[in-house]
Amino acid sequence: MQTSDMRSELLNPKQVCAEYPIFGSTGSLAERRWRGDGPAYIKTAEGRAGRVFYRRSDIEQWLDERTVQTGGKAA
């Protein structure tokens, strides 16, 4: 898979939690969606019927925005 293909890859919440343990469980990922402080996501329909997906690039961006460089200001 090319880098551009990988960055646009869609992952479901279970895949996100398996590949990025920082998110914990699918329940904690859902709580982040509800609070509005997690990575951007795609919802296929309104309400509970809609399936949720994440772009790998959005997850990576969210993590990059929270990365603290050593030697810099405290978080």
Side-chain angles (χ1 to χ4, degrees):
M1 195 179 314
Q2 293 181 342
T3 303
S4 61
D5 294 339
M6 188 172 146
R7 291 192 55 79
S8 63
E9 177 184 7
L10 295 178
L11 304 170
N12 66 39
K14 188 174 182 179
Q15 291 170 312
V16 171
C17 292
E19 292 191 38
Y20 299 90
I22 191 169
F23 292 111
S25 68
T26 56
S28 62
L29 189 57
E31 185 175 335
R32 285 187 180 276
R33 286 195 304 273
W34 180 79
R35 289 192 323 235
D37 67 356
Y41 62 95
I42 299 165
K43 188 150 186 193
T44 61
E46 292 184 26
R48 298 184 74 149
R51 294 182 62 197
V52 172
F53 295 95
Y54 293 85
R55 283 186 186 95
R56 184 180 299 277
S57 58
D58 290 333
I59 296 167
E60 294 291 334
Q61 179 182 352
W62 187 86
L63 292 169
D64 288 345
E65 290 168 355
R66 282 149 186 82
T67 300
V68 177
Q69 297 298 323
T70 58
K73 290 192 249 179

